[in-house]
Amino acid sequence: MSSLPRILLVDDNDSDRELAALVLSGEFDRVDVEQVSSATEFSAALAAGQFGLVITEVDLGWSEGLETVELIRDLRPDCPIILFTCSTGTELWNEALRLQIDGYVGKSSEGFVHLPAAVRAALFRARRRALATTKDAPYRRLVEGLPVGVVVSTPSGEILEANPAFAAMLGFPSPESVTRRSFTKFFVQPSMASNWRSQLEASRTVGNLDVQLQRMDRSPMWVRVSSWAVEDGPTGIRQIQSIIEETEEFHIAQGELARRSQALARSNAELEQFAYVVSHDLQQPLGMISSYLELLEGSIDDTLSDESKDYLDRAVRGAERMQEMVNAVLGFARVDTRGDEFAPVDLAAIVQDVVDELHETIENSDASITHDMLPTVVADGAQLHQLLHNLLTNALKFVGDRSPRIQISAIQNPSEWQVSVRDNGIGLEPEASERIFVMFQRLHTQDEYPGTGIGLAICKRIVERHGGRIWVESQPHRGATFIFTLPKRSGGEDEATQ
């Protein structure tokens, strides 16, 4: 049943009256229009008082001027009244203002089309006048200024009141132009409208329902709807109050994130495919080249000149370096796809394992590697081993002519561990602090400092797989401190170990 009050349509022109009634019935669901064409019918309707809005012609054969309006005002001072007439003139306007007419619509083709909007506006203003006298009027003025949409509707969804933000959200010129429409008919998906109704019926509340509403121009927009059932103070009638937050930008960002995730998944799949090619298609010819170069070197070594031997030696070293780079790229590609499941890992034990592996290099360079109390974290132990191995290898390599001094420490933050590897090496320019984590971005020549140029890129990929960050703080000739974070996860231990 519609919450629209009965409309008293007063006009002695049968065709105009019937057309106006048809327009109203087409715009409003189940509207009750009482048509009046004579003084007798008008008197009976006025005596019964079963109407909530009046649409009247001024030029009536049985009445002069605004007599009908004055009679209605005497008996029903709060009833909204709309003049639907061909009459114009200053005197009419002045009288209409005196009698506080709620709307004026000229009889024309455009006027018939505009009549439903005039009905909405008149009922909206009448409701506002009634509410202005209630104790919560100051709060209603606050609602008017809110940047989110606010809607009051009947339990069936017919909008009784809306604030300017909701009207603007849907592209309507004013709040009154939204009223007396079905809120659920703005839902793009009928199933979501049914969901909204069923939640209200079941629990009298709807919390953070993400739906698409249709704007006035029929374009969709994402919003978040929260609704609850209340009893209207002045009338005691149950109503639905809703807050509508626009979430279009959030869903655009969410869609973009989904597209990027898909692109990343494709990229990882392509990288995995590349790793397969590297491991199968390139490994074999590289191994063959290395084997034949070694055979060639052993069979004709005595017959070659010193210059030819140098050429052959360079070819062997080039093949070996290519093999190292292929293995490094393969390791980089497999960080995300071939890692182990996360489990509690003792960082102090991993550091000791790496130090044992690098024992010969440490001895030869008279290096010192120490560490503070280090935590147990939930991580991929093999990958953390590789991470620390790469960082310590770099610290031992990029040291210049001094003995390496390396200190490993950890700081506990509320949601993560921050691990640092500090050395006394040659350092680097701050401008290069991001470039060094990119594959094959070297700051020195191969002759100065041999390597694949991919070790720090692997470190970055390992840390990111664990949900952390890695960066470097350094100045030339003042050493470098590589810092990475590891989020705390369920199953880990907070205490540190020596």
Side-chain angles (χ1 to χ4, degrees), residues 274-285 326 330 334 338:
F274 172 71
Y276 178 85
V277 171
V278 167
S279 61
H280 291 80
D281 297 352
L282 294 183
Q283 295 277 35
Q284 184 177 358
V326 165
L330 183 59
R334 287 178 169 173
R338 299 295 179 90

Side-chain angles (χ1 to χ4, degrees), residues 133-177:
T133 60
T134 62
K135 62 182 180 181
D136 60 345
Y139 301 103
R140 293 183 181 276
R141 287 193 290 272
L142 175 63
V143 167
E144 291 295 296
L146 287 177
V148 297
V150 178
V151 169
V152 178
S153 63
T154 66
S156 63
E158 185 176 4
I159 297 174
L160 301 174
E161 190 174 352
N163 70 340
F166 180 70
M169 194 181 293
L170 295 183
F172 284 87
S174 61
E176 53 261 39
S177 60

Side-chain angles (χ1 to χ4, degrees), residues 175-190:
E176 53 261 39
S177 60
V178 186
T179 58
R180 304 298 165 174
R181 300 176 188 270
S182 174
F183 179 54
T184 54
K185 285 190 176 179
F186 287 112
F187 283 56
V188 173
Q189 296 176 302

Side-chain angles (χ1 to χ4, degrees), residues 186-245:
F186 287 112
F187 283 56
V188 173
Q189 296 176 302
S191 60
M192 296 306 295
S194 299
N195 187 11
W196 179 77
R197 286 196 194 94
S198 60
Q199 286 192 43
L200 280 172
E201 291 172 359
S203 61
R204 295 173 60 90
T205 183
V206 175
N208 296 328
L209 182 65
D210 285 316
V211 300
Q212 279 187 303
L213 298 186
Q214 189 178 71
R215 296 186 180 94
M216 189 178 180
D217 62 3
R218 298 191 176 279
S219 62
M221 67 174 298
W222 280 101
V223 299
R224 181 165 294 160
V225 179
S226 298
S227 304
W228 53 93
V230 297
E231 300 295 330
D232 182 58
T235 65
I237 298 174
R238 184 183 177 191
Q239 297 177 345
I240 308 300
Q241 295 180 352
S242 301
I243 290 179
I244 298 92
E245 302 173 79

Side-chain angles (χ1 to χ4, degrees), residues 78-141:
D78 296 329
C79 180
I81 302 173
I82 299 171
L83 296 184
F84 187 45
T85 179
C86 295
S87 299
T88 59
T90 304
E91 185 177 350
L92 175 64
W93 281 108
N94 291 335
E95 279 297 295
L97 289 173
R98 181 182 67 82
L99 294 170
Q100 297 182 339
I101 297 300
D102 293 279
Y104 173 89
V105 180
K107 269 190 180 178
S108 64
S109 298
E110 293 181 358
F112 280 96
V113 173
H114 181 66
L115 190 57
V119 170
R120 288 191 175 93
L123 291 172
F124 182 82
R125 285 192 287 272
R127 178 179 169 83
R128 287 296 176 87
R129 285 196 299 269
L131 294 174
T133 60
T134 62
K135 62 182 180 181
D136 60 345
Y139 301 103
R140 293 183 181 276
R141 287 193 290 272

Side-chain angles (χ1 to χ4, degrees), residues 288-359:
M288 187 177 296
I289 290 171
S290 299
S291 298
Y292 278 108
L293 284 173
E294 291 176 2
L295 289 173
L296 185 63
E297 185 178 31
S299 61
I300 61 173
D301 184 61
D302 296 337
T303 64
L304 293 177
S305 65
D306 291 342
E307 185 177 12
S308 297
K309 288 180 180 179
D310 182 56
Y311 292 157
L312 185 59
D313 184 54
R314 292 187 182 188
V316 171
R317 290 201 308 270
E320 291 173 348
R321 173 161 166 72
M322 179 61 74
Q323 186 68 57
E324 291 175 358
M325 294 182 69
V326 165
N327 291 335
V329 171
L330 183 59
F332 179 84
R334 287 178 169 173
V335 167
D336 288 328
T337 58
R338 299 295 179 90
D340 296 333
E341 291 187 4
F342 291 178
V345 176
D346 184 353
L347 272 184
I350 290 182
V351 168
Q352 189 58 53
D353 289 343
V354 174
V355 169
D356 291 343
E357 288 179 3
L358 299 174
H359 174 74

Side-chain angles (χ1 to χ4, degrees), residues 351 355 362 367-374 388 391-392 394-396 399 403-411 418-425 473 479-484 497-498:
V351 168
V355 169
I362 293 171
S368 170
I369 300 178
T370 58
H371 66 82
D372 298 336
M373 301 288 284
L374 297 178
L388 289 167
L391 292 177
L392 291 178
N394 278 0
L396 292 169
V399 72
S403 297
R405 296 292 180 264
I406 303 168
Q407 173 69 23
I408 305 168
S409 58
I411 299 174
Q418 181 174 301
V419 183
S420 61
V421 179
R422 179 168 54 86
D423 63 49
N424 64 336
E473 297 174 357
T481 301
F482 284 85
I483 305 166
F484 62 91
T497 55
Q498 187 69 40

